[in-house]
Structures are given as structure tokens and as C-alpha cells.
Amino acid sequence: MMTLNFCEYNRFNQDYDRICRPSGSGDYLFLLLKTPMKVYLEDKLHITKENACILYTPQTPQHYQAVKRFCNSYLHFSSDTNPCLRFGIPANTIFYPANYMEIDSFIRDLQQEYFSTADFREEYIHTLITQLFISISRTLTSSAVRSEDTGNLYPAFQSLRLQMLSDCQEDWTMERLCQAVNMEKKLERWQRIAEEAAKQSGRGIIPQVR
């Protein structure tokens, strides 16, 4: 069970404000830093960009300061299990999730529920925090897969380019190019989507890509 101890959505402090807790806060702290911050991790200074995130574990020192404007959304919470291990989120590390706007929406909803007196308040808070971390986990996993795909495709494209330059007389159809870099399934999927879109627009089946 994850229990919300306190949270604030879109919190502004005074310019250049600094947070320093040498022994941590005694609970988990998830931060969405909306403005650039100077963050100290293991006595090393890091300057973040906008919309950086950090998930601090209990007893980990928390030390960060606004470069100028100070704005963040955050939640302090307790958990029976380690959410970093459960959801595959890096602990005490700066990361930049692509879904930062969705993250901010979850924190807004958590703040509303924190001050609510509705039935099943604690259960709903637990559910919202779980959804928040699942969303982050999926985004991080998706980004890692895309990065790996890009890294694997680049040398394949380079090799294919050299082959095409060496054999200009060959018939380099789209199907053959995709097969050479193992992208046949992606081409087939694109053609199905394009054909469905053409049907819905009333234009019939589009020609096969060449």
C-alpha cells in the first residue's frame, strides 16, 4: 500500500530558493522540476532542464536549488514495497520522461484527493500513485526500446546505402529495402493503415508502395 503524506501541484517558491535535507525526508519524494534546478547527487552538481524528475528514496539526502525561478510539483509518500524496484524507475537519479504533462495531471489529482473526505480516499490515492508510476515506467521502457531500435538501424542503413551505391542497376523496390533492414512488418502495417484510411475517405484502395 502506498500512502500519501503530502503533495503540492504547481508549487512556486521564491526565486533561487533552496531545499536541503541532509538526511532525506524519511519517506519517498517524487519531484517534477518544472524549472531548471541545481541538483546535488552524491556531492556532484547537476543542472537540470525543465521537466526533470527525481524519485528520492528514504534517508537519501535531498539538496536542490532553483537556477532562478522555482516551480515544481511533488509528492511525499510511504510504501510497503520499493516503488523503484517494482516499477523499474531509477532511484535518486535525474530523468526526463516524455509524459511530464500527464505526470503533472496525476499530481494535481492527488492533491485534490489528499484534501478530500470522500469514501475510499486512501484506496483511491494508492491507485493514483500506482497509475502515475506505471505511466512513467511504460514511457521509460518505450523510450529505451526506441533508442535501441535507432541504434541498431543506423549501421544497417549504412550498409544498405553502400550496397545500393555498389549495385545501382538493381531494382531497389520498397519491399526489398525494408527486407534488407528487417522492416517488412512495419511496411505491411503502414500499408494496412493507409488502405483503411483510404477506404474511410471514400477513395478506395491506394496503390502498393514501391
Side-chain angles (χ1 to χ4, degrees):
M1 185 78 171
M2 288 183 284
T3 304
L4 186 61
N5 300 326
F6 192 69
C7 72
E8 287 188 289
Y9 162 74
N10 207 39
R11 167 64 190 244
F12 282 89
N13 289 16
Q14 64 184 10
D15 288 355
Y16 306 106
D17 198 10
R18 181 171 72 106
I19 304 296
C20 185
R21 304 184 184 101
S23 300
S25 56
D27 56 4
Y28 289 95
L29 168 62
F30 177 77
L31 287 172
L32 170 59
L33 302 172
K34 296 186 173 184
T35 54
M37 298 278 177
K38 299 176 183 178
V39 179
Y40 295 86
L41 296 171
E42 297 181 347
D43 296 324
K44 293 181 180 179
L45 172 62
H46 304 266
I47 308 295
T48 71
K49 296 179 288 186
E50 293 180 354
N51 301 311
C53 288
I54 307 174
L55 177 53
Y56 285 107
T57 54
Q59 282 74 55
T60 298
Q62 301 166 5
H63 187 185
Y64 51 98
Q65 181 178 16
V67 173
K68 185 180 180 183
R69 293 176 65 248
F70 190 114
C71 181
N72 69 170
S73 295
Y74 68 89
L75 57 142
H76 285 274
F77 67 99
S78 302
S79 177
D80 296 336
T81 59
N82 187 333
C84 305
L85 298 177
R86 182 182 177 191
F87 299 104
I89 298 174
N92 310 308
T93 303
I94 298 165
F95 61 96
Y96 294 89
N99 65 328
Y100 60 88
M101 294 181 67
E102 183 182 22
I103 291 170
D104 212 23
S105 295
F106 274 119
I107 297 176
R108 179 195 61 206
D109 293 345
L110 279 164
Q111 179 176 269
Q112 293 174 349
E113 193 63 25
Y114 180 76
F115 293 107
S116 169
T117 57
D119 293 340
F120 307 107
R121 171 181 172 275
E122 295 298 328
E123 289 80 359
Y124 190 40
I125 285 175
H126 170 78
T127 300
L128 284 172
I129 299 176
T130 300
Q131 288 179 325
L132 165 65
F133 289 141
I134 288 174
S135 177
I136 294 172
S137 180
R138 287 178 173 178
T139 298
L140 294 178
T141 301
S142 177
S143 298
V145 170
R146 285 197 301 271
S147 177
E148 183 178 351
D149 285 345
T150 302
N152 291 337
L153 283 174
Y154 182 75
F157 278 126
Q158 286 289 84
S159 176
L160 177 59
R161 176 177 177 272
L162 291 175
Q163 186 179 352
M164 291 175 68
L165 291 174
S166 300
D167 300 310
C168 297
Q169 73 283 359
E170 294 288 335
D171 182 17
W172 294 102
T173 64
M174 184 64 72
E175 287 85 351
R176 183 177 177 185
L177 293 173
C178 289
Q179 186 176 14
V181 291
N182 299 316
M183 292 184 64
E184 315 96 288
K185 292 183 179 179
K186 292 184 179 180
L187 175 63
E188 292 172 1
R189 180 172 177 272
W190 182 89
Q191 287 179 331
R192 287 197 301 271
I193 293 172
E195 288 173 0
E196 185 62 29
K199 289 179 182 178
Q200 293 179 5
S201 68
R203 296 180 181 179
I205 304 297
I206 64 171
Q208 289 290 315
V209 176
R210 289 289 185 270

